[in-house]
Amino acid sequence: MKCKLTPRLSSGDWNEFCSRFHFPPDDMPHIQAIYTALLPLVESYAHYSLDQDLDGVSLPHYAYGFVTLGNGVDELSELYLNHEQIQEAYIVDCISLMLLSKAYEEFAHVVERQSRLYLAELSFLGDTYSLELLPQIYACLTPDVIHLTDGQMLTPLKTAALILHLDTKPHANPRQLCDTCAACKNFSCPSRKSPFQNLPRTYGAMQIFHIK
């Protein structure tokens, strides 16, 4: 199955954008101008299945699929890089990450409506599930706008392979469950939103801050 997605950033997302990616508020007019140029280039789709037919996934209810922002995002980023506009290319990448989270949330709502189940958890290949599932998912879905290279990379670059754990009972709000930054296990990421006190304590931090 295939569905068109229309991810957008709302006015309330821009404060989060600055804090998450460490931009000063004075840069916001320039960032929003790039967003305005980027948005018409976004061709976001989900290719997905509600069938329980993946080897290595033993959940009672799940869906799986690809979510992409399309080639236009990659082309704009490459255009900036070709003109040595590194900051602008980085801004495109940051905006794209937030648009992907919006696309995941929209996709989750589509799956919930069609399956009559509720999203319990959003998982990515390489995290909870092995990347070895990628060729199998690609063969099952045969997406027309997404390609799998010989090196097992997906193009367009702003494309993700997802497994949605579903349940008969509602869990958290899909927006919270699709907040990939909050759930990310890359604790050293400079764009991480989780506060220090929620991060696991390393031995070095315990020694420096005298934590027991």
Side-chain angles (χ1 to χ4, degrees):
M1 290 184 281
K2 177 182 177 180
C3 70
K4 172 74 172 171
L5 304 173
T6 56
R8 299 287 188 273
L9 299 185
S10 65
S11 57
D13 291 321
W14 292 113
N15 287 335
E16 176 188 335
F17 184 94
C18 288
S19 62
R20 176 176 172 181
F21 298 110
H22 313 295
F23 284 100
D26 290 347
D27 285 354
M28 189 50 59
H30 184 49
I31 292 168
Q32 290 179 327
I34 293 175
Y35 171 73
T36 300
L38 173 65
L39 202 56
L41 304 177
V42 174
E43 290 286 338
S44 186
Y45 289 93
H47 290 262
Y48 63 102
S49 174
L50 302 180
D51 296 333
Q52 322 290 286
D53 57 356
L54 291 180
D55 298 333
V57 180
S58 57
L59 297 166
H61 306 290
Y62 66 90
Y64 61 91
F66 296 114
V67 170
T68 185
L69 295 184
N71 286 308
V73 175
D74 295 346
E75 292 169 357
L76 182 60
S77 180
E78 185 176 356
L79 180 65
Y80 280 130
L81 289 174
N82 288 341
H83 288 79
E84 299 184 354
Q85 294 178 280
I86 307 301
Q87 184 181 39
E88 285 75 11
Y90 174 65
I91 290 170
V92 169
D93 192 57
C94 295
I95 293 172
S96 300
L97 290 175
M98 294 193 69
L99 286 174
L100 271 175
S101 290
K102 297 288 187 179
Y104 302 152
E105 181 183 353
E106 188 178 351
F107 174 43
H109 284 299
V110 171
V111 170
E112 286 186 330
R113 287 196 304 270
Q114 294 184 355
S115 67
R116 298 184 180 180
L117 296 168
Y118 299 95
L119 180 65
E121 185 179 351
L122 186 69
S123 296
F124 296 86
L125 299 192
D127 189 356
T128 306
Y129 296 98
S130 171
L131 286 170
E132 294 178 359
L133 280 173
L134 185 56
Q136 183 186 353
I137 293 175
Y138 189 83
C140 289
L141 299 178
T142 59
D144 59 350
V145 296
I146 299 168
H147 303 282
L148 182 63
T149 70
D150 292 339
Q152 304 299 296
M153 289 185 61
L154 292 170
T155 59
L157 296 179
K158 292 299 181 289
T159 302
L162 314 172
I163 296 178
L164 291 76
H165 306 211
L166 303 174
D167 200 353
T168 55
K169 299 180 295 184
H171 289 251
N173 184 290
R175 182 172 187 179
Q176 180 181 348
L177 294 170
C178 294
D179 186 350
T180 53
C181 187
C184 177
K185 295 181 175 62
N186 182 9
F187 300 114
S188 62
C189 175
S191 300
R192 188 173 182 83
K193 293 189 296 185
S194 293
F196 171 79
Q197 60 264 28
N198 291 341
L199 300 183
R201 295 169 178 172
T202 64
Y203 175 78
M206 293 171 69
Q207 295 301 306
I208 293 170
F209 296 106
H210 307 288
I211 301 171
K212 295 183 179 180

